[in-house]
Amino acid sequence: MNKTFCFLLLLTSNMAIAGEVEIKNARIQLTGTDTYRFDVTLNHGNTGWEHYADAWEVLGTRVLYHPHVNEQPFTRSLSNVHIPKETPYVEIQAHEKIHGDSKGRYRV
C-alpha cells in the first residue's frame, strides 16, 4: 500500500468518526427589552483543525475559532441577539468544516 493511499484512508476514517455536529441543548435568557443571550451546547467528534464544529447561528453567528477535541460536548454563548417581540420562536443551526450545516435545527 503506498503512503498517499494510507494517508487518505486514515483521513477518511477520521472524518467518518467525527460525523456531523449535533446541537445537544440551548438556553435563552432575556438580557434587555428585546435582546437575548444564547448558550448553545454542541457535540461533535472534532479530530483537529481539518474537521471541527466551527460555528452556530441564530439571528447572528457565533464563530468557533478552534477545535474542541478534548471538550465534548461544549457550550458557547452569543449575546445581544435582537429578537422582535412578535417572533414566536427561533431556530439554531450548527456548522462544521466537512459536512457543513447540521441537518437538524434546534427550536427555542
Side-chain angles (χ1 to χ4, degrees), residues 63-80:
V63 176
L64 304 169
Y65 292 102
H66 60 85
H68 296 85
V69 176
N70 297 318
E71 183 187 357
Q72 293 294 321
F74 65 97
T75 303
R76 294 297 178 270
S77 302
L78 179 64
S79 297
N80 298 316

Side-chain angles (χ1 to χ4, degrees), residues 25-46:
N25 193 27
R27 232 182 73 210
I28 182 172
Q29 178 182 6
L30 181 65
T31 57
T33 304
D34 59 357
T35 57
Y36 296 83
R37 171 189 161 123
F38 284 80
D39 298 305
V40 175
T41 302
L42 302 179
N43 191 44
H44 182 264
N46 291 276

Side-chain angles (χ1 to χ4, degrees), residues 43-55:
N43 191 44
H44 182 264
N46 291 276
T47 59
W49 289 101
E50 295 80 27
H51 193 191
Y52 71 95
D54 61 356

Side-chain angles (χ1 to χ4, degrees), residues 7 13 16 21 25 28 36 41 48 52 54 66 68-69 77 79 82 84-85 88 94 96 98-99 101 103-104 106 108:
F7 174 74
S13 298
V21 61
N25 193 27
I28 182 172
Y36 296 83
T41 302
Y52 71 95
D54 61 356
H66 60 85
H68 296 85
V69 176
S77 302
S79 297
H82 171 75
K85 290 180 183 179
E96 56 102 342
I98 299 294
H99 298 102
D101 291 334
K103 289 181 183 173
Y106 197 96
V108 280

